[in-house]
Amino acid sequence: MIDGVLLLDKPVGPSSQRVLGHVKHLLGAKKAGHAGTLDPMASGLLPILLGEATKYAAQGLDADKTYLAEIHLGIRTTTGDREGDVLEESSVPPLSHQQVEAVLVTFLGQSTQVPPMYSAIKKDGRALYDYARKGEHVERAPRTITIHEIDLISMQHPVIAIRVACGKGTYIRTLAEDIGRALGSPAHLQSLRRIGVGTLKPQDIVPLESIERAEQRERLEFLKPVDWLIRDWPEVVLSADDTVRFTHGQVIRCSGQSAVEHCRVRSDAGSFLGTARIDASGLLHPQRVRSLNS
């Protein structure tokens, strides 16, 4: 079994699923998944979860994301990005840095966003992009999103580059269109690069080319531990006897531990065992237990 987390730098072009299959084949893994899809036109950090690490995918999906995005003003497309057909085109009036920054700051905090038609959200069992490709329109309910940070990086008329830190469920394509609208112009997303997922940073990521060029043994050296995505959670260390109880799903008394909804559990020998919660009475309840065979 191949277990671990690969912090992949996805290239522009292939889909996240295609890249996942390619990496799975290169590493010879039997089980793999990814934490947070990137569109084919997007690049950047795509956590690949292998073997037992797939049990902890939700931590990647729920984490905040950080992006570098280029917004092209003056053109609106069918998909909200550069790959769509042009729906609207107009001239863009001169804009100052101060004008753009004044608009960007209005997007900070919680707001609502209508998901794009070209998305994987399901409606009656079908992805919205299936309807969109057939020219069908589906009403979508607004969703609450959170923008933690949004900064203007540069302006080169008619393109503005921004850095965005946001909560899960935020569509940057839709954000680009909304920013354009607030600036009085149609707009679409010209480029997108994800540079952060939770506490993961750009310096952690591995280019796909590096994995392709490496020998099989070297490829495994790129892997982070199974619990890498939750390494900042509180940790509980169990004795040998309690380790056996935990791996059998039994509740364990943890003296002196504060109540927490999620924690990492490790044996006193250093092995990661899984995740748990601790209730107010100091009882540790197993949530996800790592397979004894991994």
Side-chain angles (χ1 to χ4, degrees), residues 80-199:
D81 59 38
R82 69 166 187 264
E83 297 185 335
D85 297 328
V86 175
L87 286 175
E88 180 185 357
E89 189 167 0
S90 68
S91 59
V92 181
L95 294 167
S96 68
H97 278 69
Q98 290 75 16
Q99 286 175 302
V100 175
E101 288 171 342
V103 164
L104 293 180
V105 75
T106 65
F107 287 87
L108 285 170
Q110 281 196 345
S111 62
T112 57
Q113 184 184 75
V114 177
M117 279 298 300
Y118 279 86
S119 66
I121 295 173
K122 296 292 181 65
K123 172 71 174 179
D124 298 330
R126 292 171 56 194
L128 288 179
Y129 58 71
D130 284 337
Y131 293 97
R133 288 169 181 168
K134 294 181 179 179
E136 301 175 31
H137 180 80
V138 175
E139 290 297 323
R140 291 97 66 204
R143 295 185 170 193
T144 300
I145 63 166
T146 303
I147 305 295
H148 302 292
E149 300 174 26
I150 185 165
D151 301 303
L152 178 63
I153 303 300
S154 66
M155 290 177 57
Q156 190 170 357
H157 193 81
V159 176
I160 61 174
I162 62 172
R163 178 185 177 277
V164 182
C166 56
K168 68 174 183 177
T170 304
Y171 284 91
I172 306 300
R173 282 177 291 146
T174 302
L175 179 64
E177 291 181 313
D178 290 342
I179 289 171
R181 190 175 299 111
L183 289 169
S185 171
H188 69 274
L189 186 64
Q190 178 170 287
S191 71
L192 183 67
R193 179 168 177 78
R194 186 157 66 198
I195 59 172
V197 175
T199 59

Side-chain angles (χ1 to χ4, degrees), residues 5 15 23 28-29 53 80 111 139 150 198 210 212 218 230 243 254 276:
V5 178
S15 67
V23 169
S111 62
E139 290 297 323
I150 185 165
S210 297
E212 292 172 330
E218 294 173 328
I230 57 172
T243 291
C254 289

Side-chain angles (χ1 to χ4, degrees):
M1 287 291 293
I2 305 296
D3 298 318
V5 178
L6 175 64
L7 306 178
L8 183 72
D9 189 350
K10 176 196 168 297
V12 173
S15 67
S16 294
Q17 199 63 29
R18 181 179 171 186
V19 169
L20 173 65
H22 184 44
V23 169
K24 183 180 177 182
H25 172 73
L26 288 173
L27 294 173
K30 292 183 179 179
K31 187 177 181 181
H34 58 72
T37 301
L38 281 174
D39 290 338
M41 66 155 282
S43 66
L45 179 54
L46 180 68
I48 301 289
L49 307 161
L50 303 160
E52 281 290 294
T54 57
K55 290 182 177 179
Y56 312 102
Q59 280 68 54
L61 293 170
D62 291 343
D64 293 338
K65 312 292 195 302
T66 305
Y67 298 93
L68 296 178
E70 289 184 329
I71 303 172
H72 192 294
L73 302 175
I75 299 175
R76 184 168 65 90
T77 70
T78 52
T79 58
D81 59 38
R82 69 166 187 264
E83 297 185 335
D85 297 328
V86 175
L87 286 175
E88 180 185 357
E89 189 167 0
S90 68
S91 59
V92 181
L95 294 167
S96 68
H97 278 69
Q98 290 75 16
Q99 286 175 302
V100 175
E101 288 171 342
V103 164
L104 293 180
V105 75
T106 65
F107 287 87
L108 285 170
Q110 281 196 345
S111 62
T112 57
Q113 184 184 75
V114 177
M117 279 298 300
Y118 279 86
S119 66
I121 295 173
K122 296 292 181 65
K123 172 71 174 179
D124 298 330
R126 292 171 56 194
L128 288 179
Y129 58 71
D130 284 337
Y131 293 97
R133 288 169 181 168
K134 294 181 179 179
E136 301 175 31
H137 180 80
V138 175
E139 290 297 323
R140 291 97 66 204
R143 295 185 170 193
T144 300
I145 63 166
T146 303
I147 305 295
H148 302 292
E149 300 174 26
I150 185 165
D151 301 303
L152 178 63
I153 303 300
S154 66
M155 290 177 57
Q156 190 170 357
H157 193 81
V159 176
I160 61 174
I162 62 172
R163 178 185 177 277
V164 182
C166 56
K168 68 174 183 177
T170 304
Y171 284 91
I172 306 300
R173 282 177 291 146
T174 302
L175 179 64
E177 291 181 313
D178 290 342
I179 289 171
R181 190 175 299 111
L183 289 169
S185 171
H188 69 274
L189 186 64
Q190 178 170 287
S191 71
L192 183 67
R193 179 168 177 78
R194 186 157 66 198
I195 59 172
V197 175
T199 59
L200 305 179
K201 303 301 179 186
Q203 59 267 27
D204 296 324
I205 64 181
V206 181
L208 180 59
E209 296 84 354
S210 297
I211 302 167
E212 292 172 330
R213 290 196 302 264
E215 298 294 333
Q216 180 62 23
R217 184 176 299 178
E218 294 173 328
R219 288 170 181 164
L220 298 181
E221 294 175 359
F222 289 121
L223 299 185
K224 303 290 187 182
V226 166
D227 58 335
W228 190 255
L229 293 184
I230 57 172
R231 66 192 186 283
D232 293 329
W233 285 14
E235 182 176 270
V236 173
V237 179
L238 300 180
S239 66
D241 288 342
D242 282 342
T243 291
V244 174
R245 296 188 185 96
F246 180 84
T247 56
H248 286 86
Q250 297 176 16
V251 176
I252 300 165
R253 168 69 63 182
C254 289
S255 302
Q257 296 287 346
S258 302
V260 292
E261 283 299 312
H262 303 288
C263 65
R264 294 158 64 239
V265 181
R266 191 173 296 279
S267 71
D268 56 7
S271 298
F272 172 66
L273 303 175
T275 60
R277 70 176 178 88
I278 302 175
D279 66 22
S281 61
L283 294 177
L284 182 143
H285 300 260
Q287 290 178 321
R288 288 190 175 274
V289 179
R290 186 176 182 183
S291 171
L292 289 172
N293 298 320
S294 297

